[in-house]
Amino acid sequence: DTGVSQDPRHKITKRGQNVTFRCDPISEHNRLYWYRQTLGQGPEFLTYFQNEAQLEKSRLLSDRFSAERPKGSFSTLEIQRTEQGDSAMYLCASSFINTGELFFGEGSRLTVL
Amino acid sequence: GNSVTQMEGPVTLSEEAFLTINCTYTATGYPSLFWYVQYPGEGLQLLLKATKADDKGSNKGFEATYRKETTSFHLEKGSVQVSDSAVYFCALSLNDYKLSFGAGTTVTVRA
């Protein structure tokens, strides 16, 4: 399977714990995106990378959130000191530069108790 | 700011019925417009797109026309199948290709 893969698919954690999600994009793609989706809503943009450079971060991304793409390949999204409001589906997508066709993974669902 | 408003669901149809999902947008520039679809148990995938006014995007029997005068990009299909059951998202992007999505419309097609 050469699509976008995300790990883990499901994560249940207690409030205050740290969690990390990993995304492996399609290998030829330069851009990698993180989105967050809550029930009944469309995905909301969090951040994106072009190669290893993080080019934009949404105001939704508080200081507790950090994303990296160290070698321009896979990416991690870490949430520190999780809160119940962080419960959501975290989506990763990748694309070539200058195309609106994003390829999405199936998402990582976070539940904070 | 930039935003997308799409028809609320859920929508339930019989096979071979006509489907339309309304989508309107607000944007500060001249956006590209997209429809993404999410089938059960799968990730979102691009269904069709249009990059300028009066363009028509089409794929899998679905069509949508970029109407600048009404700021709309309504999705239509003339004869739906059970396999079209999914959640449909309208989205826009400006030059940086950061997508802004609507809330999604759940469509269920009954045999």
Side-chain angles (χ1 to χ4, degrees), chain B residues 83-98:
Chain B
S83 58
D84 295 323
S85 298
V87 184
Y88 293 83
F89 294 92
C90 186
L92 68 79
S93 72
L94 293 169
N95 293 336
D96 60 3
Y97 288 97
K98 178 178 67 178

Side-chain angles (χ1 to χ4, degrees), chain B residues 7-60:
Chain B
M7 187 173 84
E8 290 186 14
V11 174
T12 302
L13 301 165
S14 298
E15 231 175 357
E16 300 183 4
F18 182 85
L19 171 67
T20 182
I21 304 175
N22 291 340
C23 171
T24 57
Y25 68 89
T26 302
T28 54
Y30 299 97
S32 295
L33 300 173
F34 306 84
W35 278 100
Y36 276 77
V37 59
Q38 186 170 26
Y39 298 105
E42 299 183 15
L44 281 90
Q45 56 187 270
L46 179 67
L47 180 59
L48 53 84
K49 68 177 182 181
T51 58
K52 60 183 187 296
D54 299 325
D55 271 1
K56 177 185 285 187
S58 61
N59 186 25
K60 299 183 179 181

Side-chain angles (χ1 to χ4, degrees), chain A residues 9 31 33 35 37 40-43 45 48 56 91 98-106, chain B residues 34 36 38 41-46 49 89 93 95-104:
Chain A
R9 295 290 310 281
R31 287 191 171 178
Y33 305 79
Y35 282 79
Q37 185 177 18
Q41 299 299 316
F45 171 81
Y48 85 101
E56 186 171 343
L91 301 173
N98 291 339
T99 170
E101 184 168 9
L102 272 60
F103 292 78
F104 282 85
E106 294 182 40
Chain B
F34 306 84
Y36 276 77
Q38 186 170 26
E42 299 183 15
L44 281 90
Q45 56 187 270
L46 179 67
K49 68 177 182 181
F89 294 92
S93 72
N95 293 336
D96 60 3
Y97 288 97
K98 178 178 67 178
L99 291 170
S100 297
F101 286 88

